[in-house]
Amino acid sequence: MAHGKFGTAINCMDGRVQLPVIEWMKKQYKLDYVDMITEPGADKAVSCGWYERIEEIKAKALISVNAHGSRTIIIAGHDDCAGNPVTPEQHKANLRDAVKTVLSWNLPLETVGAIWINKDWRVEPLEIK
Ligand SMILES: [Zn+2]
């Protein structure tokens, strides 16, 4: 098992939202490291992507959970997203559905949640289970 406390983010590939997600998660969950699974428009990919695409994301999450002992998965969506160019309201609906997808994986997690990164690049917790 790797040393340190790990969490897992399923985040957009967008360079503007990497550090905000990492910094928020490290502070919120007292983590040493955040494993980053990135997809363009990750909230859409996990909530309503093709089966194969969701399975690939799940396989990456499993590595983080099994090899690094992560017990926290956070799905992030953000304003001005080129990978999922919809309204903030639609993003938030995608994020809530994405939480349901991750819960359906039945991983040994303590926390599954969704966060919204607003136009000021600040994190708004949306739904934490
Ligand atoms: Zn994006």
Side-chain angles (χ1 to χ4, degrees):
M1 188 68 73
H3 291 286
K5 189 176 177 191
F6 284 75
T8 314
I10 302 175
N11 192 10
C12 189
M13 62 178 279
D14 193 309
R16 297 172 292 182
V17 293
Q18 307 305 306
L19 289 177
V21 170
I22 291 167
E23 285 163 2
W24 184 84
M25 284 183 67
K26 283 178 81 168
K27 188 171 173 203
Q28 189 73 18
Y29 300 108
K30 299 182 168 50
L31 303 172
D32 299 303
Y33 308 103
V34 177
D35 290 340
M36 192 67 77
I37 300 167
T38 64
E39 294 280 327
D43 50 0
K44 184 182 179 188
V46 176
S47 61
C48 47
W50 294 104
Y51 174 78
E52 291 80 2
R53 195 172 179 205
I54 294 175
E55 285 297 301
E56 280 181 21
I57 295 168
K58 180 183 173 184
K60 293 175 189 175
L62 267 170
I63 294 170
S64 184
V65 168
N66 291 336
H68 289 166
S70 171
R71 294 294 174 261
T72 304
I73 293 184
I74 296 293
I75 305 132
H78 70 98
D79 195 73
D80 194 36
C81 183
N84 186 18
V86 297
T87 63
E89 288 66 34
Q90 183 60 52
H91 273 288
K92 289 172 187 177
N94 286 159
L95 285 162
R96 290 195 173 92
D97 286 341
V99 167
K100 288 179 197 155
T101 301
V102 174
L103 287 171
S104 78
W105 295 345
N106 286 314
L107 302 177
L109 299 168
E110 289 162 9
T111 303
V112 177
I115 57 177
W116 170 246
I117 298 136
N118 65 26
K119 59 180 169 48
D120 300 319
W121 310 111
R122 293 222 172 82
V123 171
E124 298 174 12
L126 201 62
E127 180 162 298
I128 310 289
K129 302 239 179 222

